[in-house]
Amino acid sequence: MRDFKTHSLDVPGAVLHYEVREAVEASGKPVLLLVGSPMGAAGFVALAERLPERTIVTYDPRGVGESRKTGEPGTSTPEQHADDLHRIIDELGGGPVDLFASSGGAVNALELVSRHPEQVRTLVAHEPPAVHVLPDREQALAAIKGISRTYERDGFGPAMAQFITIVGLQGEIPADFADQPAPDPAMFGLPAEDDGSRDDALLGQNLISCTHHEHDFAALRAASTRIVIAVGVESEGQMACRGGLGVAERIGVEPVTFPSNHGGFLDDTFGMPGDPDGFALKLREVLEG
């Protein structure tokens, strides 16, 4: 496993933790950031290990892992996350960097590029859950608000069971999703009891602000950054994949199919494994293309 150095950076309302893995051999290639949300640095170890020719930077988004909030608790927004990434890139020398961003991280990275395109050479945005571009956006937005209500009323387990159900659905979101009986959390190995906390990084801090974010497509079309929208071959029909396809259509680029699913870059040390070997090969091909 490659050694890495940890760093901290004070930003408005938070202290960010980020990690730098130097390239095994100097290649002259830009620094590569690997980012998610709410997934932190630990989720990208497998992918970083498979790209030894790159200096890799990973980080914990505000309110996740070692990155602590110092301001108001509660919601974090794509605008805040984008500004955090902007400040990290400044700390690294200002860029331009290459950036792979997945899920909520892709939403945040698209916001970064709309504001600071000069900082990013190539952005690979993997399955951004951009609900506003879906033809069934009203149903999807309502369903996600229903998950948030479940979290506030019943806690983590019941709400996460609903979340897992909706992200795995293929096709349009049913109009009555929020009114359907909630799945049993035990089916997913989740607790049914409410521990009283409401600060979960996904359900309490990012769920609504991320999925309800409206992108500046005019700015993205005008950006100097090369934007690649990536979708998983096994994700067809799912909300985040459909979000990626909708974003690609609106900025006028052809989506690129990557191996595996929404977590295709993961190995068996973090969550459900995908195909990290195939994923790294495809990412390398796209970045060098």
Side-chain angles (χ1 to χ4, degrees):
M1 185 173 292
R2 292 161 68 180
D3 292 334
F4 61 86
K5 294 182 179 179
T6 63
H7 303 264
S8 63
L9 178 64
D10 289 330
V11 299
V15 178
L16 302 178
H17 167 93
Y18 68 97
E19 301 172 358
V20 179
R21 291 168 169 80
E22 296 291 342
V24 174
E25 294 184 6
S27 66
K29 300 180 187 297
V31 170
L32 174 60
L33 271 67
L34 307 177
V35 305
S37 182
M39 181 179 285
F44 293 97
V45 172
L47 187 54
E49 289 298 307
R50 287 162 172 80
L51 297 166
E53 74 276 12
R54 291 288 192 128
T55 293
I56 303 286
V57 177
T58 56
Y59 93 121
D60 292 339
R62 59 172 57 213
V64 174
E66 299 297 319
S67 289
R68 58 184 177 85
K69 291 185 176 184
T70 58
E72 292 296 320
T75 299
S76 299
T77 67
E79 291 83 2
Q80 288 175 318
H81 291 304
D83 188 64
D84 292 345
L85 290 169
H86 161 64
R87 292 170 186 271
I88 289 173
I89 294 169
D90 266 353
E91 194 73 6
L92 296 169
V97 301
D98 285 342
L99 177 55
F100 170 78
S102 186
S103 194
V107 171
N108 303 336
L110 287 164
E111 180 65 18
L112 168 69
V113 166
S114 73
R115 294 169 173 232
H116 301 286
E118 75 285 350
Q119 287 194 314
V120 184
R121 185 187 74 155
T122 296
L123 165 63
V124 180
H126 179 244
E127 298 199 352
V131 173
H132 273 283
V133 304
L134 302 181
D136 53 322
R137 59 185 172 274
E138 297 304 325
Q139 300 101 286
L141 291 169
I144 293 164
K145 288 179 181 177
I147 295 171
S148 182
R149 289 194 299 272
T150 297
Y151 181 61
E152 291 301 321
R153 183 182 66 243
D154 301 326
F156 174 80
M160 183 57 74
Q162 283 186 316
F163 177 79
I164 293 170
T165 300
I166 199 172
V167 298
L169 283 176
Q170 292 192 323
E172 292 195 356
I173 307 301
D176 63 346
F177 180 88
D179 299 323
Q180 295 176 5
D184 181 359
M187 293 171 54
F188 305 100
L190 296 167
E193 301 78 18
D194 183 0
D195 66 3
S197 67
R198 294 295 185 270
D199 58 355
D200 181 71
L202 170 63
L203 299 170
Q205 298 181 40
N206 292 284
L207 178 65
I208 297 294
S209 60
C210 173
T211 57
H212 286 51
H213 181 67
E214 297 192 46
H215 293 280
D216 186 343
F217 292 117
L220 291 170
R221 287 192 294 269
S224 56
T225 302
R226 173 182 172 238
I227 301 174
V228 178
I229 304 298
V231 295
V233 68
E234 298 174 13
S235 302
E236 184 176 357
Q238 295 176 357
M239 185 170 63
C241 177
R242 295 193 296 125
L245 296 176
V247 170
E249 179 181 6
R250 281 159 177 75
I251 63 176
V253 300
E254 286 294 321
V256 177
T257 301
F258 269 59
S260 196
N261 51 39
H262 191 62
F265 49 90
L266 301 174
D267 66 6
D268 59 4
T269 65
F270 192 100
M272 184 177 295
D275 177 12
D277 291 330
F279 203 98
L281 286 172
K282 186 64 177 182
L283 180 57
R284 180 182 289 113
E285 172 192 317
V286 168
L287 289 174
E288 294 181 356

